[in-house]
Amino acid sequence: MPGVADLAWMLTSSVDPARWAEVIAAYGPAGEPDRALPATVVQGLLSLADATAGSAAAMDWISRLDAAARRTRLT
């Protein structure tokens, strides 16, 4: 699962959620990051802790973390 974990982190940390399906499809048949997303949400929350509240960086993190949580039914 290391490759899938890398994909999940890449999605959560730097890809607009609107493009996730495209990135997962490009990754190939092994691109099933849903099982790894909960761990990346935790990692992302730690990264969000360094962002200034209300900043563009914070809002980007929140958007991606929310998408990951919805995708894995964490909300």
Side-chain angles (χ1 to χ4, degrees), residues 29-54:
E32 298 293 332
D34 293 357
R35 290 186 340 176
L37 281 171
T40 62
V41 168
V42 172
Q43 197 173 4
L45 287 170
L46 294 172
S47 296
L48 175 62
D50 288 337
T52 302

Side-chain angles (χ1 to χ4, degrees), residues 22-74:
E22 174 188 348
V23 173
I24 292 168
Y27 194 80
E32 298 293 332
D34 293 357
R35 290 186 340 176
L37 281 171
T40 62
V41 168
V42 172
Q43 197 173 4
L45 287 170
L46 294 172
S47 296
L48 175 62
D50 288 337
T52 302
S55 69
M59 300 311 292
D60 285 344
W61 269 112
I62 290 168
S63 172
R64 291 189 306 269
L65 293 172
D66 184 52
R70 282 193 320 274
R71 186 175 176 101
T72 59
R73 296 180 194 94
L74 293 174

